[in-house]
Amino acid sequence: MQIHSLGHDSYFEDEYSLIGIHTTLEDYKLAYLLNKNLSTNFFKSKKELVVENNQNSAFFSIYNYQNTTYEYDWHLIANSSKTENSTTENQLLLTTETKTYLIPEKKNVDFFIKISGEVAPSFISKTIKKIKNIEQVITSYSIDKDSLKSKDFLIF
């Protein structure tokens, strides 16, 4: 009798492609330019991605787009979150800013585009080329999700 078992990772392995974007744009401006250049319709999610660690919470903005023709779900995700910390010392109000990264090993990446589903590599290449043509985007490229240590944060 042969016994088959599924590993713990088998249940959570989601098929998706990942694109990294370097830009100085705010999230809403990037979403607008992507909509204009990729013929997408990104809209801001009502819920942010929340990552909690050591009694601190980081909030990452997410924009969604659902392509009904190809049945792809797209997510534009910010890679960094800024939190202001206020302290009072000698009657002075001091504020410091803490920056948290969703994927710490990719600190140079400002935004990720996660395209869920089995997507042809040629489609990803064309998409990257269109993103690179946006004047305010510094660069864009495909990221191997298997090389990421923190890829679990991209499962939502």
Side-chain angles (χ1 to χ4, degrees):
M1 182 167 104
Q2 192 173 15
I3 298 175
H4 296 283
S5 66
L6 296 175
H8 181 66
D9 294 337
S10 299
Y11 289 108
F12 300 109
E13 193 61 37
D14 189 19
E15 186 59 41
Y16 62 90
S17 299
L18 200 58
I19 298 172
I21 300 174
H22 295 251
T23 184
T24 58
L25 291 171
E26 295 289 329
D27 55 359
Y28 64 93
K29 290 180 184 176
L30 179 60
Y32 170 78
L33 290 172
L34 290 172
N35 287 342
K36 186 176 173 184
N37 290 281
L38 299 178
S39 299
T40 55
N41 191 16
F42 280 106
F43 62 92
K44 185 155 175 103
S45 176
K46 292 179 183 175
K47 294 183 180 180
E48 293 180 314
L49 180 59
V50 181
V51 177
E52 295 180 10
N53 59 357
N54 300 336
Q55 299 175 354
N56 294 327
S57 296
F59 301 91
F60 301 91
S61 66
I62 299 179
Y63 287 75
N64 300 317
Y65 164 64
Q66 190 171 26
N67 184 323
T68 53
T69 305
Y70 297 108
E71 296 183 9
Y72 298 151
D73 287 331
W74 296 48
H75 306 281
L76 174 64
I77 310 158
N79 190 32
S80 64
S81 172
K82 294 178 184 175
T83 308
E84 284 191 9
N85 304 315
S86 299
T87 57
T88 306
E89 192 172 303
N90 296 336
Q91 297 181 345
L92 292 174
L93 180 63
L94 304 172
T95 52
T96 57
E97 190 174 84
T98 305
K99 195 170 193 178
T100 306
Y101 294 95
L102 181 64
I103 308 293
E105 59 267 29
K106 294 290 184 184
K107 288 182 180 179
N108 293 334
V109 175
D110 298 302
F111 294 93
F112 295 102
I113 293 181
K114 175 185 170 186
I115 305 175
S116 298
E118 292 192 35
V119 183
S122 60
F123 180 81
I124 296 297
S125 296
K126 289 177 187 175
T127 302
I128 290 171
K129 199 176 278 188
K130 288 179 182 178
I131 294 171
K132 283 183 177 180
N133 286 334
I134 299 172
E135 188 176 318
Q136 295 89 340
V137 170
I138 299 165
T139 191
S140 179
Y141 51 88
S142 181
I143 296 176
D144 179 16
K145 67 180 180 191
D146 296 325
S147 69
L148 300 176
K149 295 176 188 172
S150 310
K151 66 181 176 183
D152 291 344
F153 293 128
L154 296 171
I155 299 172
F156 49 87

